Amino acid sequence: MSSAGGTRPQQESLLRESLLLVVLLAATWVIAGFALEGAGVGVVAAGRAGFAALGLFLLTLLPRRGGARSAPPDRTPAGRGCAWWQLGILSLTGVTGYTVLSTVAISLAGPAIPSLILALSPVVTLVAESLLSRVRMSLLVLASTTVAIVGAVLYVLPRLGAPGGASVLGVLAAVGAMLSMAAYGLLFAHLNRGRRGPMAPRILPIFALGSVPLVLWAVVEVWSGGLFEPWAILALAVLGLAVYVPAYLVQHRIIATAGASHAALLGLAVPPVVGLAAAVLGLAALPQPLQVWGIVLTLAGMLVVIRSRSQRPRSTASR
């Protein structure tokens, strides 16, 4: 009875975190698009990651000022630091690799084809997660994930006729970005299963190390005469400190508790939310009927998965 009573708070907490993550990720698209009006892609990528790393660093300093000594240290395996090679893989796949590959994909193939390929990330992550953990995949979760992916595909389909064909290199870059983020989520979930305590100190080294190549990219871009307006720094500061920091904290908490596939699934809701927000603000046309059905299917599939996954942490934690 106690486990049944504890399920509802877990469901509500995971639902709140999932909705918050979707809203925050959607906000990153809007603010990043605004920043790109005054800076090049390299500067925006470096500013986003750099300011986020700065915000995570500031958060790690807060517990040291009183009250932190009363909290016992996390001595579980997930609470210990990861090896240097694991840190390198995490920063390469989750920060540097994904940022560079997704940027190249969008620049060469436009936004539609990469969005379609990235929509496959949840099912790839779900299958890999099940194989690695040697746990049979729930048919309900698999079916609901498939429904959500079909919805995402339906939302993207009307955009496939946009000008600018997709080059082979752009498609390969999109596949690389999808596999890179899937690998990152799986490795982070494996290293942080059962993680307790603040998440900022855990992910700070990943984003600090992953930001270094991006900063070098930005320096080369500006040195070569790329677009750079001073006001863009303010937009990037807001993006990194006020949006990406809470987004990363919530995202990684979800990965550690509900799994990498659950976090990947939430990304499917971001493009529709951005599209609806743009339509409400008068920046884009209203979604077509096919896209509306896509949004409904995506949200329905996601809600079923969230409800199913929110019941899992207590059972796994009790093993």
Side-chain angles (χ1 to χ4, degrees), residues 202-223:
R202 191 67 169 173
I203 63 177
L204 170 60
I206 300 172
F207 286 89
L209 182 60
S211 299
V212 174
L214 300 179
V215 171
L216 295 177
W217 178 17
V219 170
V220 172
E221 184 179 75
V222 174
W223 187 267

Side-chain angles (χ1 to χ4, degrees), residues 34 42 86 127 139 143 145 173 181 197 206 246 248 296 306:
F34 176 71
Q86 294 170 332
V127 172
L139 291 179
T145 301
M181 184 51 67
I206 300 172
Y248 287 147
V296 171
I306 291 172

Side-chain angles (χ1 to χ4, degrees), residues 298-311:
T298 298
L299 295 180
M302 286 176 54
L303 288 176
V304 173
V305 174
I306 291 172
R307 180 177 178 82
S308 176
R309 285 298 181 89
S310 63
Q311 300 176 6

Side-chain angles (χ1 to χ4, degrees), residues 59-60 63 71-72 74 78 192 195-203 249 253:
L59 284 178
T60 61
D74 185 0
N192 292 273
R195 167 75 179 177
R196 299 195 305 268
M199 190 61 67
R202 191 67 169 173
I203 63 177
L249 293 176
R253 179 63 63 189

Side-chain angles (χ1 to χ4, degrees), residues 120-137:
L120 300 176
S121 178
V123 73
V124 171
T125 307
L126 179 62
V127 172
E129 194 175 57
S130 299
L131 292 175
L132 292 173
S133 61
R134 298 180 181 178
V135 175
R136 175 174 292 185
M137 190 186 313

